Amino acid sequence: MEEKKIYLSINGKEVASAPSQTILEVARENKVFIPTLCDCQNLSPFGACRLCLVEVAGLPKLVPACSTPVAAGMKIRTDSEKIDQYRRLIVELLLSDHEPDCMFCEKAGDCLLQDLAYQYGLKNSRLKGERRAALIDDSNPFIERDNSKCILCGRCVRVCDEVQGVSAIGFIGRGFQTRIGTPFNRKLNCEFCGQCIASCPVGALTSKPARRKGRKWQTRWVKTICPYCGCGCNLTLHIKDNEIVGVHSDSSSPNEGYLCSKGRFGYEFVHHPDRLQFPLIRKGGQLVRAEWYEALRLVATKFQEIKSRHGNNTLAGLSSAKCTNEENYLFQKFVRAVLGTNNVDHCARL
Amino acid sequence: MTNSIAEISQAKAILVIGSNTTEAHPIIALQVKKAVRKNGSKLIVADPRPIALTKIADIWLQLRPGTNIALLNGMMKVIIDEGLADQRFIAERTEGYEEFKKVVDRYDLELVSQITGVPASLIQEAARIYAQAEAASILYAMGVTQHRSGTDQVLAIANLAMLTGNVGKENSGVNPLRGQNNVQGACDMGCLPNVLPGYQSIADPHILSRFEEKWGVSLSNKPGLTVTEIFQGALAGEIKGLYIMGENPMLSDPDIHKVEKALRSLDFLVVQDIFLTETAQMADVVLPAVSFAEKEGTVTNTERRVQKMNKAIQTVGEGMEDWKIICELATLMGYPMRYRCAEEIFQEIADLTPSYGGMTYQRIEQEGGLQWPCPSTQHPGTKYLHHRRFARGLGKFTPVEYSPPAEIADAEYPFTLTTGRKLFHYHTGSMSRRVAPLQEIYPEGYLEISAEDAQAINVASHEEVVVKSRRGEIKVRALISDRMPRGVVFLPFHFHESPANALTNPVIDPVAKIPELKVCAVKIERLATGD
């Protein structure tokens, strides 16, 4: 059943909304930009970063837009001087304890904190004080964590719990000592889906295989489909100099942007030195390099020979669940129309 | 799948049977987790092993390997006896109920409990949860199909869904999870010995003549051989030449010693692949193809969604797209195939395949893929199947009886071996084992065994053992795992160093010709230590 609409105003403009929505959702629907760091698609509101604070007429304090439900007649301001000052201060506080590593950071150019610092013109934080030391965990082959860049937005913790259901990581410590880690500081031992990397808004979590191979914006993106299991997840390959250097997935169906370890990290085989580079023909018991025309002619001749000597049904073909529909279609057409037999199957049974 | 992936999280009850979903279909497992943890759905898991999903399941039916039919029949008897069957659905949408009921009637709880090893009360509770849910979904995979009785197991699942009216509706249905990115498409495209593209029977003269006309050749209406039969045919000298495109039966098929013998008996073997796989090493000619990133085309996922793959990089070496190689060969053999691009082939597919009839590259790209059936350009595609009417008209109840696996553990081979995939690897490993981080996290295959069994045969964790079946033996390290029930051991089949399929039983289901890869009997011996 459709929810009844309610009416409220944002920055003096009247807007309609469903009563179950948050201020942030309604603002976004109406193209009103509110900066966020801890908000993340599909995850429950967290209210940690405080960047989305807005003014609501009649309320004494600013409220976080991400976790405040709308109400009929609400008068919301998102752009006052007071809000601007608050947001600036929040970014300054974050920068005061953030390794200024943009020169080398994998996420430079694709970092929400960097964008905010740029937006507010904050080259240096006025707030000087102790900084967390670089706390790098790269004890696994997939995910590198640098807690000195972490802004404690909790997106990685929530995606690991709410979406992946693994809860491999959590908040540890209190106050200035707070950081993200594993229980008892054990080595990360999870499904290595990398959902945490995809959800990190800054450079605290990065893909080890993609490291220093090109920042996201320096690569050419090609959307395709994952080559592993039958889920059919969408993949966007990051290409640099004819090499796949990284992967991301967009929020479309069927995987809503989530991937597994094979989908996210399993692309290296494409460039493996074992790739077959040229045709091979068996000569004197050994497979030796051949020219295409030589190999194809040999196959055609042999198939013809077997066909005429023993009959069509002594030939057979096994197709591939890794090849495209077009290729599978042509394969069975080849077996049926050219070899002249219905002896065609593939590994659906295995 | 009769439903779509996104519908899984909306089901009120989910039965997962014969699927280690978190490892083999991780993204579908996210839907199951969402259903349970966010939407309050009930989850029933039927699996001999405590897989990850059993941790969040309301009910875990820890049945003995190969006893699915007894369990399903037992659940159905509870449903009928307690008046939980959907009588209206049965009357309006199905046939054969009375015959079916007679068979199911024999499966009383005590008997079923005895066969499966599952307590009667749990079976009862599972049956009630499934039958009473407003929308219930069944997910299954090779744990159901890779048995001598695989076809019957699938029929039992269909019976259960029909009995409760849980098919042909949004969020409720029968959902086989397909294991490879285009295994659905390879079937759809008619890479099967008895059907043409779109599952059109070669026995139908009208259909055959339409293809003959379009392709300009006369075609045989004699059904061909399945993969398992092709290897038997090679052994018998009836198959002389074999063309394998992108498959590695030397690791994926049961009883690989027999596969090896079969391949050696051929006069001529051509293998087209991107690596020199175990199978390619035996070929007379090896043709280098290209990877997914080097070509354009469509693939069809487990929810029947046809999606577009796009070329991302230039070809490595002299490799050629598979479709171009086929065109070259056909042309050389006197049947010119001249397509300028993959799209031109797709247009021919749409023309000849009614379920793909309304699809074009443009639509697929604009609409985020299209789910078949999509018979016309105005048709939006089909989110779930069998709405209001089954493909054959009425849904047919087929009574099925439990029969034990072909090979039961005995005094000589006292362990039941079951095989499958691990999260970090994929099928025969030709791709995943050439990815450094995946290989680093999971470098070798292990024989997973319970602590009690390991102790009984005096084997320590990580100790190398010899596993023997009536067909072969392999060396592999043992891994004591709290996932294994007593008497059952597990091997992944990804690893050529310890090929599980040297041991497995090639006995096949008589209808689907699928081998019983999920159950065989083995013995485990310690390596002679020399002291």
Side-chain angles (χ1 to χ4, degrees), chain A residues 29-286:
Chain A
E29 270 177 25
N30 289 281
K31 310 250 182 305
V32 177
F33 175 73
I34 297 177
T36 55
L37 279 173
C38 69
D39 177 71
C40 190
Q41 195 183 16
N42 294 340
L43 299 182
S44 50
F46 198 49
C49 74
R50 316 312 281 178
L51 265 176
C52 69
L53 290 175
V54 293
E55 282 182 62
V56 175
L59 294 182
K61 288 198 281 189
L62 300 179
V63 296
C66 69
S67 51
T68 307
V70 289
M74 230 181 205
K75 289 188 171 48
I76 300 158
R77 279 227 80 85
T78 70
D79 57 357
S80 70
E81 184 62 28
K82 183 177 169 192
I83 291 171
D84 201 58
Q85 275 176 14
Y86 263 92
R87 289 186 185 150
R88 181 182 294 268
L89 181 64
I90 290 163
V91 177
E92 279 187 282
L93 280 163
L94 287 171
L95 291 173
S96 74
D97 186 22
H98 187 89
E99 185 66 32
D101 189 31
C102 298
M103 205 82 90
F104 295 97
C105 185
E106 284 294 324
K107 284 294 281 286
D110 181 32
C111 169
L112 290 186
L113 186 60
Q114 195 185 40
D115 290 351
L116 287 164
Y118 178 83
Q119 187 187 333
Y120 288 106
L122 297 168
K123 190 172 179 189
N124 294 302
S125 178
R126 287 172 297 153
L127 311 157
K128 308 281 181 220
E130 196 183 341
R131 272 214 176 124
R132 287 166 299 177
L135 293 162
I136 292 173
D137 173 14
D138 67 346
S139 58
N140 70 81
F142 304 98
I143 302 165
E144 181 174 306
R145 172 182 293 282
D146 181 352
N147 268 329
S148 69
K149 292 181 186 171
C150 177
I151 56 166
L152 297 171
C153 66
R155 283 193 193 191
C156 56
V157 174
R158 283 177 290 147
V159 80
C160 189
D161 170 28
E162 292 179 26
V163 172
Q164 200 65 22
V166 168
S167 302
I169 46 175
F171 288 91
I172 294 173
R174 290 283 179 274
F176 184 71
Q177 303 296 331
T178 311
R179 57 187 175 77
I180 309 293
T182 56
F184 309 106
N185 274 330
R186 286 190 192 132
K187 216 167 118 172
L188 185 63
N189 181 18
C190 63
E191 293 175 0
F192 298 109
C193 61
Q195 251 71 279
C196 54
I197 297 176
S199 70
C200 183
V202 295
L205 285 164
T206 48
S207 161
K208 275 178 79 175
R211 195 162 55 188
R212 295 194 43 228
K213 294 218 160 166
R215 287 164 170 148
K216 198 169 163 187
W217 51 272
Q218 292 175 311
T219 57
R220 186 167 56 85
W221 294 358
V222 181
K223 193 170 171 176
T224 190
I225 304 298
C226 177
Y228 286 98
C229 81
C231 294
C233 300
N234 77 75
L235 287 186
T236 299
L237 303 177
H238 303 173
I239 311 296
K240 194 158 178 261
D241 304 330
N242 207 41
E243 189 189 345
I244 307 171
V245 295
V247 155
H248 78 264
S249 178
D250 66 39
S251 58
S252 62
S253 203
N255 54 307
E256 299 168 4
Y258 303 116
L259 294 171
C260 74
S261 56
K262 295 189 289 289
R264 196 179 306 278
F265 303 107
Y267 49 81
E268 273 179 27
F269 74 90
V270 170
H271 305 288
H272 197 281
D274 286 354
R275 277 289 300 274
L276 284 169
Q277 307 272 341
F278 38 74
L280 301 167
I281 290 179
R282 191 168 296 280
K283 283 183 183 160
Q286 297 293 313

Side-chain angles (χ1 to χ4, degrees), chain B residues 421-433:
Chain B
R421 286 185 183 164
K422 299 301 293 183
L423 174 64
F424 297 110
H425 285 291
Y426 179 76
H427 224 63
T428 68
S430 62
M431 288 155 50
S432 62
R433 295 202 67 204

Side-chain angles (χ1 to χ4, degrees), chain B residues 446-447 449 454 458-464 477-481:
Chain B
Y446 291 101
L447 176 82
I449 184 168
N458 202 19
V459 165
S461 214
H462 290 79
E463 179 180 336
E464 199 168 41
R477 290 208 277 168
L479 182 73
I480 292 175
S481 161

